[in-house]
Amino acid sequence: MPSLKLPIVQAHGDERAQWRSLEERRRGIAAEGEFPPGAAEVGTTSRREFVQLLGATVAFAGTAGCFKIPGEQILPYTRQPEEIVPGRPLHYATSMTLGGRATGLLVTAHEGRPTKVEGNPEHPSSLGATGLFEQASILQLYDPNRAAVLQQNGRPRSWREFLAVQHDRALALRRKDGGAGLRFLLEPGTSPLVADLRARIRTLFPNARFRSYSAVSNDGVARGAQLAFGTVLDTQFDLSKARVIACLEADPLHPWPGSIPAMRAWADKREPGPEMNRLYAVECALSVTGMNSDHRLRIRPSQLAPIALALAAKVGSGQGLLAPLTPVAAKVRLDEKQQRFVDVLAADLRAAGRAGVVIAGPRTSPLVQALAHAINTALASEAARHRKSALHDPDDGAAGLRELATEIRSGTVDTLVVTAVNPVHTAPYDLNLATAFDAVPNSIYRGLYEDETSKRCAWFVPATHPLEEWGDARAHDGTVTFVQPLLQPLLNGITEAQILSAFLGEGDKSPYAMLREYWRSARNDADAAWEKWISDGFIAGTATAPESPQVRMEAVAAAALAARFEVPAGALELNVVPDYRLYDGRFANDVWLQETPDPVTKLTWGNAALMSPATARQLGVDTRDVIDIGLHGPPVHAPVLVIPGHADGAVTVSLGYGRGGAEQNAGGIGFDVAPLRRVDAPWGGSGLTVTKLGRRQPLAITQEHWSMEARDPALDMDLHDFEGRGRERIEDARAPVATMHTPWDYSKVQYKWGMAIDLSRCTGCSACMVACQSENNIPVVGKGNVEKSREMHWLRLDRYFSGSEDDPRAIAQPMLCVHCETAPCEYVCPVNATVHSDEGLNEMVYNRCIGTRYCSNNCPYKVRRFNYFNYTYDVTDLEKLRMNPDVTVRSRGVMEKCTYCVQRIERARIDSRVQERPIAEKEVQTACQQACPSRAIVFGNLHDKQHEVTKKHADERHYYVLNDLGTRPRTAYLARVRNPNPKLT
Amino acid sequence: MSALFKPWTNTAFRLVLFGLALLFAGGLIAGPMIYVRSPLYTQQQDPIDQPVQFDHRHHVGDEGIDCRYCHASVEKSNFAGIPSTAVCLNCHSQIWNKSPKLAPVRESFFSDRPIVWNKVNKLPHFVYFNHSIHVKQGVGCVTCHGRIDQMAQVEKWAPLTMGWCLDCHRNPERYLRPREEVTSMTFTPGGEKEQLALGERLKEEYRVATRQSCTTCHR
Amino acid sequence: MAISVAARLAARRALEPLPLLEGDQDDGTLNKTLLGYVWRRPGKGWLLLVGLGLTGTALLTVAVVITVAKGIGMWGNNIPVAWAFGIINFVWWIGIGHAGTLISAILLLFQQKWRTSINRFAEAMTLFAVLQAALFPVLHTGRPWFAIYWLFPYPSTNRIWPQFKSPLMWDVFAVSTYFITSLLFWYLGLIPDLAALRDSSSKRWMRRVYGIMSFGWRGSARHWHHYKIAYLLLAGLATPLVLSVHTIVSYDFAVSIVPGWHETIFPPYFVAGAVFSGFAMVMTLMVPARRFLRLKHVVTPRHLEAMCKIMLTTSLIVGYGYLMEHFISWYSGNAADFYQYANRRGILHGPFKSAAQDPYIPIFWLMVFCNVVVPSIFWTKWGRTNVYVMWFASILINVGMWCERFVIVVISLHRDYLPSSWTIYKPTWVDLSLLFGTICFFSTLFLLFLKFLPAVAVQEVKELRHELDTEHERHELPEFSQEAIHPMELEVGEEDEQEEKLR
Amino acid sequence: MKRLVLAEFASPEPMVEAARKLRESGRQGLDAYSPYPVHGIDEALKLPRSKVPLMALVAGLTGAAGGYVLQWWTNAVDYLINVANRPAHAWPTNIPVTFESGVLLCALSLFFGTLFYFFRLPRPYHPVFESEEFRSASLDKFWVSAELKEGEDGQDLVRTLRDLGARRVTQVAEET
């Protein structure tokens, strides 16, 4: 019997106290009142869960027929925690930090087992939504590859041993020279608790040094602010105030840490009409933002600065703040197309005035940043918000690493504490960090996995997962946010705070105690407000106040003058970007993210050298050809992926692959780009060498075909077109189709479920895909099966290109079961395994399915997925805990597809009927809807005239995909309307 | 030289053919269909041993303890709930607190290790049953679990096949009872006719809307 | 002016049909030639072929076991191409299985005398072909252990029934009915010959075996009395049945909405294709068989020629089908439909450039070549009388018809409505061994049949000879009985060569 | 115990002739045997019209009706489910199965009915098999059999048969 210890059951000592306090303070939807005891079964595995997994592992899983149901056992609690009602999920507020920016979360737990991550509606950086990373973190929590053993040079050690050793050594260092040999390399953080610990360590070890490092650094921001304002400021953009948005290599429409509010604000202003915003993108590789832009200029990275300068000069046009730039800009040479773009954009920005904003990407050069700041200040843009950065250390990319490396080589470093994620793998190759780390006598690495870095460190300390730890952090706007555990560390993880406290000689202090004490000391209202803070997940009103700094124009102009723009003609340029799915590689072992297609390239399980069709022709290569690419360093083997819309003469590669750690899933996937990065040029440069190896390599791409081939599933039109001919296209696409059958009468039933997807809002970020996977226990099929196009995603994002291959118009379309009222899949099923419910859902009954796959053939949307193998047979006990107990784990040989999250509907239905009331409007949300940062998906009862979904179904933009087949879908799509500048079209 | 076959072969041949036909019809069709309907397959009346000899006859019958005292989440959750050890000791810390029969209970409580019960009413993993709604709509415990108060050792009483579920979901009025009588082991409205009358009334009153859509139970 | 006698003879010769039986036959000689070989010891060639067949059958078993044990994932299928080799092979074999019943039933109703010499042979082929086909519908499901009984309407404890609107349910009934009926039809015809074997055998135990198999048939007039009618009725029954079966198989596609499947022309064109491939397979097997079983005197060039003519006719129907599909796809103005066929032919793709780059285009053209171009050789008398030509042609036709099913199943699916899901299908080794394995299994069964049962309906041939005698048909054209030997003499070379092949 | 006189003829015609003569002479228990159906023997023996077609018709109609009712009852009555908004009882979709089930039952009745009912087979033993020569009946010779009454020695019958052109006449007795 697979059985794992339930933290609540084995809780003891002051841990128990925490759990109690925490549970009293849980926020959530669990029914009120006194709860008499109930039972949980088999450790954390709930009854449903357990039987499912048993079913899934037993051959012939899902048999209703020939086999008796095997014996089961029930393990009730000995003492029942009050609020736990077996079979009823609880919801806890916590948060997850990435790049030092916390996103507030609401996590669902079944019998103490977190199973699903949602956004915290009140939290400023979540607004109820989540990105891919947050959604996928639940899988990481139960990752069987996670490190579990604290070790010294490979020998297991206990935490207390570690404390003892380090304490003595630290004391020695301190006596010697005030800890001059003590170095900390931390993950960029904003935690007030950690800040406090650091301060106290400094007082003990005056000569110790702290640095932070993350491969995905925002170094441009810091340096740019330094240049423009003379001080380090962090800039956020409130796009609700913006009508004209210019993105210079910026990607605000993908849920990077802290960009969810931007996505929401942008989407809110995409309703066709005068208030509609307009998005310009200037970038090298086609980005999510680029796909959603109204105008896009593709440029080689080296061309960004000149264009920014030209733009600034043009916006200023000789007067006001930007005047000094006009003479400098004279040296800029733009081709006719770029010139035109810049002119029009500048004019548009000037016209927009306060409603205009220029966003420079976080990794662009300081000059570009400064110019953007200058323009925004000149426009008095209301969208740009400057705040003091909440980060502990300046975000200077790999610069800190370089200093550290030199210090180590000079032999001054005795003890090195690393909590930064896997620097040895992500650091630019010219630092040769691996050998440097070897030279440190007492190096300590805290990580989730035994990765490349742990191999180089004397001590390895397993890290806690965010869902296992007590802590705090600051949101993108500085709001103090709390991290609250949903269970005790499954694998003896240690928090960053614990590691730091080890050097304070405070002994083994629980993270909870530390946090509690710190806040008690930090705020005098802590005792009174503590419960509210924890249950809210953050302290309202703690956002950092915006500042309005002066731009040091002369400095900017000087920098612009000094800048050298010309690049050797014909030189190939490299563009390194963080990966849309793996970030910097820290999520490389998260198979959900590995199998989520890249929003733009639709590539899964690996990275590739992206280039434009023209460049590919010029280099004589094609998709899947393996090439050697090198930039002043050892070359790396990379498969080519030709992608329309990429800038010519440049190659884009992404971070995070080619991992060599102990993570089984990440190993051997993709190629490592570190050899292409140097400390002074971490994001690429010119002079890239490419040699064709004459070898080909399979790529797991989920969508090979780019064109819509005249079927127009995704309607995409310009504003003026929408007021004219386009409207007819939409009306055709929703015109009723003649039928022989009298439509089924749904007026009698209380609920008529339907969905609406607004293509104007959808950016294609793919957060919904991961949310769906998490909610519905969707299996991962692996690279080989994706190559055979057997991916199982119930919800996929189709990406189409139209127009020219070089400058295509791209659109993303979420495609999931549209629940046709006259579903073609149903009448071909010989065994009634897919039929209609009384409320009009297209039901898929796994246990009746015999897998003829006829339904899939007859589904014009191809949203049905087939279990070609038993994808769950090797799920470990640990992973079983992750499964959603409300959804059947499908066995081999059965069809599956989107159910409109029927398990949520049924739960709500039963609750509402037990409480003798109708289901409330927001009570049933599908997983995809809940996750969507831009609120593109709406779901609900079409009988409810007030419901948003009903309104969307009446919207003038609504239509049905493949309407002329007469399938009468329940999911309506809202045509995408773009707002191009007439002067550019 | 006589004929190829003896006269008796005629009869033998026919018998063999008949036997084969019978074997096919019985062994391949009728046999299995009878088997899956028999307790042999449905596991009704299978004796199931429990770590503690808990006697429902005594607790329910004699003491008349309400089902919900132990199966507490039956009105709130899909799962009726198995009492935690603490609940047992609510009483048994006072009475029978020395009884060797209860040794495992005390052991569990003090060692903080759960008692491992064996499940009696098992459903396949793809079936989602929810107690709360059934209790709310006036389906008596006894309707599905039988006369627990007469079982020394609880056994599966109903076949729990889909057909059996549908019986009630198609005409609930045959089984409904007043909410306050749900946990009663002995409630009866009288005969068949009274039950139907009562059922029809309660169906209206409780707005019972039994569903037969697949996703009601399979998700 | 007067026409010379020679010329008149020549003219008559051209018009007169070739004889159905050659040489001066009587019941005795027929018994010797048609039953005799059953008692002969199996030849080396036969043993060799059976050996090969069994090896292939073993491979088939492996493929089946792996498929059931690991899942359909072992095949190349994907989404959108959820059906591939499994269904292709199914339709191909079912199609082949049509000739037998057609020959024995329809030709019987039309009183075509020439059927008698080949019907038993063709019926056996039908049975074994349908047996191969029957393997796939269950095997290709994801959970065969349920499919095997959930597809039948039996009262289950979960009260749920099959869904009779699904063409797959129609398939279940059609295929099983077809197999059972063909089996009974074949066996009923076999009974008198089994009795003949019983009585002509020298070994007593063998006589016992055949005695039991023939249920003690004694050729009583009272039995013949019912027998004739029963046989005729079964034939009358089998005729609409054989047409219905492939019609229903075509519904699997025609009833769906997949572009390239949703075609009203499918039923007739599938039936024609089935007859086409069926006759091709009979030809492929008959040409060598009549040589090695020494059946040339009963299976004469006349039979071969008749089959050639039928193949020619059906190939024309099929060809017309292809043409119409493409024409309508353009005429209807439906984008998805037009793309579907443009993508098959690779030319005349209109605005859809991508349609010209499909990797499956050669398969389409191979199909056209084999099914339309090759059979047109039968327009010539030479093509219809030269066994080399018709033998190789028949093999090519089998290939072509397999390609046709590939074109319909795979090419249609891999380019359906939403381009986002378009993909390419590649068969795996399991797919290939399933195809190859069934071919081997089929040949094994067939070889066993040839060895242990009379390949020609002896009693019917005897009856035919008797009729011919009484009609004095042979007396009308004495000189032609000489002439008619001609085509056989031409074959001498070919016989040796074929014998070489087997040794 | 049953006794038979068997007479072998070289060709069908004399056999038919002999059969007719014997019947006209009012002899009971006549039968004829041939490797293939022989023209004219039916009326020679005055065999009644066969009931096989009737049986086939009844079986076929039963099958078809059963098939249709099955589909209608299961899909439209017993468990009515909304399948793709199609009518629960859609007669056009029922045609194929109706037809097939009709054919199936008809074919089964034709095979087993004739074999077991009309032919009274299986019957591996029959008095005629007592004679070795009778083997030719399924190969190339034509036989007539006549039953002998109680106490009849059958010499005259043998003679008449010889006169009718029988090449060989034997007498067999049913083994008991």
Side-chain angles (χ1 to χ4, degrees), chain A residues 709 711 790 828 853-854 892, chain C residues 68 75 82 166 252 354 417:
Chain A
E709 303 293 2
R711 291 143 164 88
R790 292 171 179 172
V828 296
R853 305 188 294 293
Y854 200 173
R892 177 193 117 200
Chain C
V68 175
W75 300 2
S166 166
D252 289 350
S354 62
Y417 284 105

Side-chain angles (χ1 to χ4, degrees), chain A residues 65 68 78 86 843 888 913, chain B residues 40-41 77 112 137 215 219:
Chain A
K68 287 195 181 187
T78 47
E843 302 173 313
T888 311
R913 288 186 57 195
Chain B
L40 279 176
Y41 174 76
S77 167
D112 198 354
Q137 302 297 45
T215 43
R219 297 161 204 165

Side-chain angles (χ1 to χ4, degrees), chain A residues 554-695:
Chain A
E554 63 297 337
V556 179
L561 196 56
R564 302 182 57 260
F565 296 146
E566 55 280 356
V567 182
L572 211 51
E573 293 186 29
L574 178 73
N575 175 32
V576 182
V577 297
D579 194 75
Y580 274 128
R581 304 165 299 134
L582 305 193
Y583 199 65
D584 59 356
R586 71 184 61 195
F587 297 111
N589 206 53
D590 194 318
V591 286
W592 284 353
L593 291 171
Q594 283 277 14
E595 199 154 303
T596 305
D598 180 290
V600 179
T601 63
K602 293 296 151 193
L603 175 64
T604 70
W605 290 99
N607 53 348
L610 310 182
M611 60 182 74
S612 72
T615 313
R617 273 194 298 279
Q618 183 196 333
L619 295 171
V621 294
D622 197 358
T623 302
R624 291 186 174 79
D625 284 339
V626 182
I627 55 174
D628 253 350
I629 50 179
L631 188 66
H632 325 309
V636 298
H637 300 319
V640 171
L641 176 48
V642 178
I643 186 81
H646 193 285
D648 296 336
V651 174
T652 299
V653 294
S654 64
L655 293 172
Y657 293 88
R659 298 293 317 281
E663 303 109 302
Q664 295 166 347
N665 309 324
I669 301 291
F671 58 92
D672 179 12
V673 298
L676 302 173
R677 309 177 68 211
R678 280 169 305 137
V679 182
D680 47 10
W683 307 111
S686 77
L688 185 73
T689 60
V690 172
T691 41
K692 190 177 173 187
L693 293 183
R695 208 167 72 235

Side-chain angles (χ1 to χ4, degrees), chain B residues 53-79:
Chain B
Q53 291 177 4
F54 181 87
D55 189 340
H56 275 85
R57 280 181 310 187
H58 171 60
H59 290 80
V60 183
D62 313 348
E63 308 300 337
I65 301 172
D66 187 284
C67 308
R68 285 163 292 194
Y69 181 79
C70 301
H71 306 290
S73 54
V74 73
E75 287 171 317
K76 297 181 208 63
S77 167
N78 54 355
F79 185 51

Side-chain angles (χ1 to χ4, degrees), chain C residues 324-370:
Chain C
M324 273 308 113
E325 286 181 324
H326 288 259
F327 169 71
I328 295 297
S329 74
W330 164 78
Y331 189 67
S332 68
N334 175 322
D337 247 22
F338 180 82
Y339 190 96
Q340 179 58 240
Y341 290 96
N343 175 79
R344 288 184 189 178
R345 57 178 180 261
I347 54 171
L348 304 175
H349 50 67
F352 305 107
K353 298 269 174 296
S354 62
Q357 295 138 20
D358 197 79
Y360 296 139
I361 290 168
I363 298 184
F364 171 81
W365 288 109
L366 178 61
M367 168 191 87
V368 173
F369 172 74
C370 294

Side-chain angles (χ1 to χ4, degrees), chain C residues 27, chain D residues 8-12 14 140-142 165 167:
Chain C
D27 294 350
Chain D
E8 182 192 73
F9 297 85
S11 61
D140 50 4
K141 296 291 180 291
F142 305 82
R167 298 174 10 160

Side-chain angles (χ1 to χ4, degrees), chain A residues 108-132:
Chain A
T108 308
H110 285 89
E111 283 86 41
R113 210 163 41 79
T115 56
K116 181 77 172 73
V117 170
E118 302 293 2
N120 180 345
E122 274 79 24
H123 190 274
S125 1
S126 160
L127 309 174
T130 46
L132 296 77

